[in-house]
Amino acid sequence: MFNKTAARLEAAVPPPIPPEVLAQKKPRSPSQREYLGAQLSRTQSFITSLQRADAEIRKDLGALRSHSRHLAKNTPYMGRYLKVLGVGVIGADGITLEADARRRRGATLEQTNTDLESAWEDWGRAATVCDRHTWAQVQRLALRTMALDGECFIRIVTGAPTPWGFALQFLDADLLDHNLNATPTNGAGAVVMGVELDGWSRPVAYHFTDPTERGLDRAYPGSVKRVRIPAEEIIHLYDPERANQTRGVPWASRVMYLLSMLSAYWEAEVAAARHEAERIAFIKEEVGAGIEPCNISPSAKATEIQSGPVTYLGLEPGQDIVTPDINHPNTAFPEFSKAMLKGVASGLCVSYASLATDLTEVSYSSIRQGELEQRDHWRETQDLMVSKLCRRVYEAWVPYAVLNGWVSIPQGLTLEDLKRSVWTPRGWDWVDPKNDAEAAEILLRNGLTTKTRLLAEQGYDLEDTFSELKKEKELAKEMGLEFEAKPVPAKPGGANAAA
């Protein structure tokens, strides 16, 4: 039976094509490709080489970082984007901690959590080894640096010269030379753009230029003295766009060309407008028809008429004043700039209205849709900050809170049990407060959401909110005040009217 089946299968397979026939076949030309996106033509050109992410980044990382910083210093919209990003993702208070230490059966430890949160707040008043940044400022600077340079490096310094013996240190991305590469050797992994990796592409160490070597007039990579810092001490913040990407790319890399061209266009348009504005008038001299050219001797003086700050000069016969046409700024200047800025806003994942502060053409529905999409992008960035920065720092900090006597480990628990935490990023007010509040009330009444979720969306903590409500009620009772919610009057024709 098996032999018969094999014979039928062998008979069904077509015979191989002879090599001489294959040699006669011409390869398919680009115009015959199945996908239009794969075609190359005079009007459609692409980079056709396929490279790993690190190979592409290594060639351009230095230039991209330098250009990004230049745009932030010299263009208003790049500076505006960084501000909007910091305010939207981090806010004034930063991403706040809610300690969640609990026993194995799920019982929370309220006093321990309160002690942890209090100690964390005290430490956060001076979170860096240089004593310049609070914890909220660390978050804002880390996010700004990650967007500006494409990545941010923070070192966890244990044994720091601070009361806690624990602090953070910012390391400039320029200190990690992206041109430092080495193949694996005996007992050492490969070094890719300054990052030492193991066989699974996990960071093992970072080879920084010695940060203690200072010099305002000399670039960082000029020093050959490097320090190998274990990966356990480094927080490397970046948002990878491809698998096995070792370094981060500035977030404005997609819009640098547009911003540069827009700045050059503005410069040319302003220069042309200024040049035309400075040309007050021309003196036109008529020659011909019996009028001879005017030959004014150097000693001759024209008639002067003073009228306030303006002086009018008398003209010789045959001369006239001609006022030039003013054509700049060009009539297409506003619309062209707006079209360019819309492309920039799309590349930066922010709404055009927020980036350009232009509300002339927005409607309620359009600005609401743009705001909601922007908030979804901010939530992704908040998740990156929580998972890569906040939790990492907190879990490294907890042992020092115990060593300093601020927190004690309850009986039957371990140090790892104290590292559980919940982080609450900033939230945002409702776009349409009345309708959004009514929708939230309906969801809450039907059991489709919780007060914890609703408060978290606006950046508030349930326990803190309830504690404030309790204090307000106790204070009002103590002072003999009563605040009762007034019932909402029924709408005409509604259920109450029908009853």
Side-chain angles (χ1 to χ4, degrees):
M1 182 65 181
F2 176 79
N3 294 334
K4 292 181 179 180
T5 303
R8 287 199 300 269
L9 291 175
E10 184 176 354
V13 176
I17 301 176
E20 57 274 11
V21 176
L22 289 175
Q24 294 175 358
K25 286 193 172 184
K26 297 181 179 180
R28 177 179 293 182
S29 64
S31 60
Q32 295 176 318
R33 295 185 185 275
E34 299 294 338
Y35 292 90
L36 293 178
Q39 294 184 5
L40 298 177
S41 63
R42 181 175 59 84
T43 59
Q44 179 168 292
S45 60
F46 296 94
I47 298 176
T48 57
S49 61
L50 297 177
Q51 294 180 328
R52 293 179 298 176
D54 289 340
E56 293 180 350
I57 293 172
R58 181 174 58 85
K59 295 182 296 184
D60 300 331
L61 183 56
L64 287 174
R65 191 186 302 140
S66 175
H67 296 171
S68 179
R69 294 173 182 175
H70 173 81
L71 291 173
K73 290 183 292 186
N74 296 284
T75 58
Y77 295 108
M78 186 64 180
R80 167 72 178 171
Y81 164 67
L82 294 174
K83 274 294 183 183
V84 168
L85 181 68
V87 171
V89 175
I90 304 299
D93 299 326
I95 303 174
T96 57
L97 165 71
E98 181 183 350
D100 194 31
R102 59 180 63 200
R103 297 189 180 276
R104 301 298 172 84
R105 296 182 179 180
T108 57
L109 305 169
E110 295 184 4
Q111 186 59 47
T112 301
N113 290 331
T114 301
D115 294 341
L116 284 168
E117 292 171 4
S118 177
W120 177 260
E121 184 178 355
D122 290 340
W123 172 81
R125 293 191 179 99
T128 56
V129 72
C130 63
D131 200 20
R132 295 177 183 172
H133 307 286
T134 65
W135 171 237
Q137 291 170 345
V138 166
Q139 297 175 51
R140 284 193 288 270
L141 181 57
L143 176 62
R144 177 186 174 87
T145 304
M146 181 167 53
L148 186 64
D149 293 347
E151 54 192 352
C152 176
F153 296 96
I154 300 176
R155 185 177 186 179
I156 298 175
V157 182
T158 56
T162 62
W164 287 85
F166 178 92
L168 304 176
Q169 180 188 19
F170 280 95
L171 296 175
D172 200 312
D174 296 341
L175 290 172
L176 194 65
D177 189 0
H178 60 274
N179 290 316
L180 179 61
N181 298 275
T183 57
T185 57
N186 295 332
V191 178
V192 179
M193 292 186 287
V195 183
E196 184 177 335
L197 307 174
D198 65 7
W200 297 98
S201 296
R202 289 179 298 192
V204 175
Y206 293 80
H207 295 260
F208 283 94
T209 300
D210 191 353
T212 60
E213 292 194 0
R214 302 182 181 276
L216 296 178
D217 300 327
R218 183 168 56 84
Y220 280 128
S223 172
V224 295
K225 183 179 179 181
R226 293 190 174 92
V227 179
R228 183 181 184 273
I229 303 177
E232 293 78 12
E233 300 180 15
I234 297 295
I235 299 175
H236 185 188
L237 285 173
Y238 71 105
D239 190 9
E241 298 180 347
R242 292 178 58 184
N244 300 320
Q245 180 178 328
T246 307
R247 300 288 296 267
V249 177
W251 293 4
S253 59
R254 298 179 185 85
V255 299
M256 287 180 183
Y257 179 77
L258 289 180
L259 282 174
S260 177
M261 290 295 101
L262 182 61
S263 297
Y265 171 66
W266 279 17
E267 182 180 0
E269 195 68 41
V270 170
R274 178 181 176 181
H275 179 64
E276 289 188 349
E278 290 176 345
R279 293 185 300 172
I280 299 176
F282 298 103
I283 297 179
K284 181 180 179 181
E285 183 175 311
E286 296 183 3
V287 179
I291 301 177
E292 297 296 331
C294 298
N295 297 317
I296 303 175
S297 64
S299 61
K301 293 185 178 180
T303 305
E304 292 187 2
I305 303 175
Q306 190 74 27
S307 176
V310 180
T311 300
Y312 297 92
L313 300 177
L315 301 176
E316 296 292 329
Q319 292 182 336
D320 192 11
I321 294 292
V322 178
T323 303
D325 295 331
I326 304 298
N327 299 317
H328 294 276
N330 193 288
T331 55
F333 176 74
E335 292 301 321
F336 178 78
S337 298
K338 185 179 296 185
M340 294 281 283
L341 286 174
K342 286 181 179 180
V344 172
S346 298
L348 295 175
C349 297
V350 295
S351 67
Y352 164 76
S354 296
L355 181 67
T357 61
D358 181 9
L359 304 177
T360 55
E361 297 181 358
V362 301
S363 61
Y364 171 77
S365 58
S366 65
I367 197 171
R368 184 177 188 274
Q369 181 65 24
E371 186 68 20
L372 292 177
E373 290 181 0
Q374 183 172 266
R375 289 178 180 182
D376 288 338
H377 174 66
W378 285 345
R379 286 189 179 96
E380 290 184 356
T381 309
Q382 287 175 340
D383 177 71
L384 175 64
M385 296 293 291
V386 169
S387 60
K388 299 299 182 181
L389 176 64
C390 297
R391 285 202 177 99
R392 178 85 181 274
V393 174
Y394 179 72
E395 291 173 1
W397 168 87
V398 167
Y400 288 85
V402 175
L403 290 174
N404 283 277
W406 286 86
V407 179
S408 59
I409 302 178
Q411 186 177 3
L413 297 183
T414 64
L415 192 62
E416 295 298 321
D417 296 324
L418 302 186
K419 295 182 179 180
R420 293 175 57 93
S421 61
V422 176
W423 295 89
T424 305
R426 68 146 297 175
W428 307 278
D429 293 331
W430 284 317
V431 179
D432 184 1
K434 183 176 182 296
N435 292 333
D436 290 345
E438 291 178 352
E441 183 181 0
I442 294 173
L443 293 174
L444 193 62
R445 188 167 57 245
N446 289 278
L448 300 177
T449 189
T450 63
K451 294 181 178 179
T452 302
R453 293 180 183 176
L454 293 176
L455 288 170
E457 289 178 358
Q458 295 187 308
Y460 300 114
D461 179 69
L462 179 69
E463 294 183 5
D464 293 342
T465 303
F466 282 3
S467 297
E468 289 182 10
L469 290 172
K470 181 181 178 181
K471 290 179 181 178
E472 288 182 355
K473 289 183 179 180
E474 292 175 351
L475 181 60
K477 183 177 181 181
E478 180 181 344
M479 301 182 69
L481 300 176
E482 293 184 2
F483 300 97
E484 295 182 358
K486 297 181 180 180
V488 179
K491 296 181 181 180
N496 294 340

